[in-house]
Every structure is written in structure tokens, then in C-alpha cells.
Amino acid sequence: MVKNDNAHSLRLVESLRRNTSDAIASELAELFPLSKSATPEKKHQWASETSRFLEEHFSSETVVGIRKDCKCNDGKSIAAKLLKYLHQADSLQQFVDDFNANETFASLEYLNDHKLRFCYPQCYCACVKRVPGNVPKAWCYCTLGNAESIFKQVFPQEDLHMTLIESIKTGGNKCIIEVEW
């Protein structure tokens, strides 16, 4: 029997426990175990299968909540970079322009003084990035949790709303998260 000890799997199972029930979390862990020694191909397959499971069993809103809760990190290093540019800028537009002039790992698009787009030029997901081919959109909702962690540090006083506009692993040209407050 495959050992279910991969960090991606453990995060998903724990998110299911927090957002649904122990029974559903245990069912997914039993149906779709993933070892930390899994190949990139196996991880990609697992991501697709578990995403389909979520889409078949839950509403879109619940799927988004489950996957947002699976974020891989706290976003502190990216938030620190963003804050550096924000504190030096006289306006949100200047913040966006300065960030884009100096950083390549991501870009920002200014929409208005209460809405930005945060864009990644490539897929950074360790679970699926090394294998060609798409995954269901449900998989990519974790990036909303990552973006939320980042922007809550940048705009801590604001009530933030994140929307996944496009993702590379669903056929898009880049990953685009709309950030609104």
C-alpha cells in the first residue's frame, strides 16, 4: 500500500478535515494516497484526480475554500518585496510600475486604486510544473490562498477578495490573480 506522506497530500487532507469532515478527508487519503517519493508524473496525475474528486463532491465555493487552505507557504518573502515598493511609491500606479521595473518572478497590473492583478509568468507549483499538460482549475485555487497570505501582509487593514482569472496549468498564458479591496 502506498504511504500517504507527501506534503501536498497532507495539506489537502488537513484542509478537507477543516473545511468538510474527517470522513471525507479519510476517504480522499485512502482513494488517492501520495508518497513523498512520488515521481513528477505521479504527482501530476494525483493533482488531476484529487481535483476531479473535489469538483464531483463539492460546490465551486467549497472547492475554492478547500484549495485556498492548501497554500504552500506564508508569503512573507514576496510580501516584503511588495512592501518595499509600496512604501517608496507615491501612488498605487507608481507601486505597480516600480515593482514591474525591478522584479521578474511576477508582475502587477493596475486596474484601479482598489484592484490589482498579480501575475506569474510561469507555474511555480512543485506538484505539477515539471509535467506538460493541464490540470483541472480546482487544483490552481491554492494560488488564491498564497496570494491572500501575501496581500494580507501588504494591505493588512483591507478586506481582500481574490479571484483566479487564468492559470498556466489550465491552458492560460500566465497565472493571473485579481486582488480587490
Side-chain angles (χ1 to χ4, degrees):
M1 183 159 170
V2 174
K3 192 171 182 181
N4 197 38
D5 60 359
N6 183 282
H8 291 281
S9 179
L10 295 174
R11 275 193 300 275
L12 180 56
V13 168
E14 287 309 307
S15 179
L16 279 165
R17 284 191 206 295
R18 287 187 295 272
N19 291 283
T20 63
S21 70
D22 287 340
I24 294 288
S26 296
E27 180 183 356
L28 183 127
E30 187 176 313
L31 288 172
F32 306 105
L34 186 67
S35 162
K36 62 181 165 186
S37 64
T39 65
E41 293 78 16
K42 177 62 179 162
K43 291 177 189 175
H44 191 277
Q45 177 187 359
W46 175 86
S48 294
E49 290 172 348
T50 57
S51 294
R52 284 192 287 276
F53 176 89
L54 294 175
E55 291 172 342
E56 290 169 4
H57 288 83
F58 302 103
S59 69
S60 295
E61 182 178 301
T62 301
V63 171
V64 169
I66 291 166
R67 291 296 298 138
K68 275 178 66 173
D69 197 23
C70 289
K71 63 185 182 285
C72 293
N73 63 62
D74 60 14
K76 285 183 180 179
S77 64
I78 294 174
K81 285 184 182 197
L82 288 164
L83 283 165
K84 177 181 87 171
Y85 296 108
L86 183 62
H87 291 142
Q88 295 172 354
D90 292 330
S91 68
L92 199 58
Q93 180 68 62
Q94 183 184 358
F95 158 62
V96 167
D97 293 343
D98 291 349
F99 179 85
N100 291 339
N102 293 289
E103 302 296 339
T104 59
F105 73 92
S107 64
L108 294 170
E109 295 175 10
Y110 173 86
L111 300 176
N112 64 51
D113 282 347
H114 297 283
K115 191 185 294 187
L116 300 171
R117 285 189 173 169
F118 186 59
C119 309
Y120 290 120
Q122 63 187 20
C123 176
Y124 291 118
C125 177
C127 200
V128 299
K129 71 181 180 180
R130 291 178 291 223
V131 176
N134 293 346
V135 295
K137 190 173 184 178
W139 182 256
C140 298
Y141 289 136
C142 63
T143 198
L144 296 176
N146 285 323
E148 188 172 78
S149 290
I150 293 165
F151 283 94
K152 278 186 175 182
Q153 294 170 70
V154 176
F155 302 116
Q157 70 284 4
E158 303 294 344
D159 182 28
L160 299 171
H161 179 72
M162 308 290 154
T163 305
L164 181 62
I165 304 298
E166 178 179 317
S167 70
I168 292 165
K169 283 305 209 173
T170 61
N173 292 319
K174 55 187 169 179
C175 296
I176 304 172
I177 302 101
E178 198 163 88
V179 182
E180 188 171 11
W181 62 94

